[in-house]
Amino acid sequence: MPSLPRVITVDPTQNISRIVRSATDLLGISIIQVDTPTGADALEELRHSDANLIIMNWELDDEIQGLILALEVKQIAPQTAVLILATEDDPETVDEETDGEPPFVYLRRPVDIHQLLRVFIAGLKGENIIEAARTVANNAPTVIDHGPLPPLNLQNARAIIKQMLVDVGAMAIILSARNGEVLLEDGAPGYLDRELLTKALIPTVMTTIEMSPLVGGQAQTIHFYDGDEKDVFVLSVGLHHFMCVVYDGQAGGRQFGSITRYGRRAAQDLVALLGASAFLIQPSETPQAAPTGRSTTSKRKTATTEVQKVELELAVKPDEAPSPEPEHVKLDPIQNFDLGLFDQMLDASAADDMFDLDRLAEMVNTGSGRKEISFDEAIELGVLPNLDGEGKK
């Protein structure tokens, strides 16, 4: 079984330690994390056991500065990746101190959360963290069609936002969509320009869609902006919405725990309202120009008529020929036929009586209506069967 990656943090304020734990929670990975307050403790820990990544502050309480500690770490363990996570009061770059490209990554807060995650993942895997830090900076922004926004029940969403405001104790919470529209707000958002805040966060929030296949599954992100007057947490709600949680500038740094617990739970409740569409990307279909002079109804009728016509034509198979009519039987005429034979067989006067109504009535009246016949006569007439083969004498 492969061993877990080891990460050493060097920060007397423990802020970096909380950031690393939040990152591992978001990524859903397990690590061995060792938190040290001073550079001397970090070097002692590194001499006893290897580490995949060391994340340190620029300013430390002991005599060893962050820059000096980073260089000493690279001398003791060249394979260990080093990340300096500076604050706003620290230098913007370290080019002058290192006389060229440094052997570590220097990021100054507020940092791009996706760039930080790239460096963090590369350090855990033993990859080049310097190249990972350049990935975001060198990529040109691309315009991608992410389709329409999924519908959201704002009444139910408002109840979730109100409960979250009580749980995290923030000044205000703003729920926005990726198109820059502010959907809901609660608390006291008047201290901050909500429209400007939403528009400024859109590029960062949109990268969640690109990061999802890299980290695997349905990604959830938490951004933190630490300022003198305001501290802002940004939580993703699926791929199309996000929440801004605003604190006073002196209180936000202590709220990582409550945001991770209650903020993520509220984000998951909102995702449940959205359903499967929260992580579904449906690019808009290109509209097709409708032909002039024909309505949609007429097109449907025409299509139906054509289909029916095809079915009728296919019902008659071309290979089956219609059955020929039976031929009339024609007999050859009798040569030298004498019609006078009928005169010999039939009495002409009797034939005339057949059509005389008076003669017929007389025959009916004089007849008894009953005639007795013998047994032999019945056989001859076919009334009884001839069982012996010949009539009785």
Side-chain angles (χ1 to χ4, degrees):
M1 179 177 180
S3 59
L4 296 176
R6 300 182 74 254
V7 178
I8 299 176
T9 65
V10 190
D11 183 13
T13 64
Q14 298 295 316
N15 288 333
I16 294 180
S17 175
R18 289 191 290 270
I19 293 175
V20 172
R21 287 190 173 88
S22 300
T24 54
D25 290 340
L26 289 175
L27 297 175
I29 59 178
S30 300
I31 64 171
I32 300 175
Q33 180 174 338
V34 180
D35 301 325
T36 58
T38 64
D41 295 335
L43 292 176
E44 186 67 19
E45 179 69 27
L46 189 60
R47 291 188 180 96
H48 286 83
S49 58
D50 296 333
N52 298 78
L53 176 64
I54 293 183
I55 305 177
M56 63 186 67
N57 203 350
W58 176 261
E59 293 292 342
L60 303 175
D61 290 343
D62 56 358
E63 298 180 354
I64 303 179
Q65 194 185 27
L67 176 61
I68 304 301
L69 177 61
L71 296 177
E72 292 186 5
V73 168
K74 297 302 293 183
Q75 292 179 355
I76 296 175
Q79 74 281 359
T80 301
V82 179
L83 169 62
I84 298 179
L85 197 57
T87 62
E88 292 181 348
D89 299 332
D90 298 330
E92 294 185 2
T93 61
V94 292
D95 295 339
E96 297 180 359
E97 289 81 355
T98 56
D99 294 333
E101 185 176 5
F104 53 84
V105 173
Y106 180 85
L107 299 178
R108 183 170 175 265
R109 285 177 282 184
V111 299
D112 184 354
I113 186 65
H114 302 293
Q115 184 182 23
L116 176 61
L117 289 177
R118 289 177 186 272
V119 174
F120 183 71
I121 295 173
L124 297 182
K125 295 181 177 181
E127 300 174 354
N128 192 333
I129 63 173
I130 298 177
E131 295 296 331
R134 292 173 180 171
T135 305
V136 176
N138 293 339
N139 283 345
T142 56
V143 179
I144 303 176
D145 180 17
H146 296 124
L149 290 172
L152 176 63
N153 190 323
L154 296 182
Q155 183 176 0
N156 295 337
R158 187 181 299 276
I160 297 174
I161 295 297
K162 283 184 174 294
Q163 183 61 42
M164 177 183 171
L165 185 66
V166 176
D167 294 336
V168 301
M171 293 176 54
I173 298 179
I174 302 172
L175 177 64
S176 305
R178 58 173 169 79
N179 61 354
E181 180 183 0
V182 177
L183 302 179
L184 290 175
E185 59 182 20
D186 204 347
Y191 294 100
L192 197 62
D193 190 338
R194 58 182 186 177
E195 302 292 343
L196 184 60
L197 173 65
T198 300
K199 293 181 180 180
L201 290 173
I202 289 176
T204 303
V205 174
M206 292 292 291
T207 55
T208 306
I209 300 177
E210 283 73 22
M211 282 296 297
S212 296
L214 295 178
V215 299
Q218 301 172 349
Q220 300 179 6
T221 62
I222 298 179
H223 304 261
F224 176 61
Y225 296 91
D226 187 4
D228 295 334
E229 298 180 358
K230 301 289 186 301
D231 292 340
V232 180
F233 286 90
V234 183
L235 294 87
S236 64
V237 181
L239 300 179
H240 307 278
H241 302 83
F242 59 94
M243 288 189 299
C244 299
V245 186
V246 184
Y247 288 95
D248 183 79
Q250 306 301 324
R254 301 189 297 270
Q255 304 299 326
F256 275 92
S258 61
I259 290 295
T260 302
R261 179 180 179 182
Y262 298 105
R264 292 185 63 184
R265 185 175 66 184
Q268 291 172 358
D269 292 341
L270 292 173
V271 168
L273 289 180
L274 292 167
S277 60
F279 295 95
L280 185 61
I281 301 297
Q282 293 180 336
S284 302
E285 297 181 357
T286 304
Q288 298 180 356
T292 58
R294 297 183 66 183
S295 62
T296 306
T297 306
S298 62
K299 290 193 297 181
R300 292 177 180 174
K301 291 181 179 179
T302 304
T304 306
T305 305
E306 292 177 355
V307 172
Q308 294 175 352
K309 182 178 179 181
V310 172
E311 292 178 353
L312 291 174
E313 290 177 353
L314 294 178
V316 179
K317 298 181 180 180
D319 296 338
E320 296 181 357
S323 58
E325 297 181 359
E327 297 181 357
H328 298 284
V329 179
K330 296 181 180 180
L331 301 178
D332 295 333
I334 301 175
Q335 301 292 334
N336 302 322
F337 180 70
D338 185 8
L339 296 177
L341 294 176
F342 293 102
D343 296 335
Q344 299 177 6
M345 296 174 61
L346 182 64
D347 187 3
S349 61
D352 294 337
D353 293 340
M354 295 178 62
F355 301 97
D356 187 354
L357 297 180
D358 296 334
R359 180 60 178 166
L360 292 175
E362 181 181 356
M363 293 174 62
V364 172
N365 293 328
T366 57
S368 61
R370 180 178 180 182
K371 183 178 181 181
E372 295 180 358
I373 61 175
S374 64
F375 185 79
D376 294 334
E377 292 176 341
I379 294 177
E380 293 178 358
L381 293 175
V383 177
L384 295 177
N386 185 3
L387 300 177
D388 297 334
E390 58 183 6
K392 291 183 178 182
K393 301 287 182 174

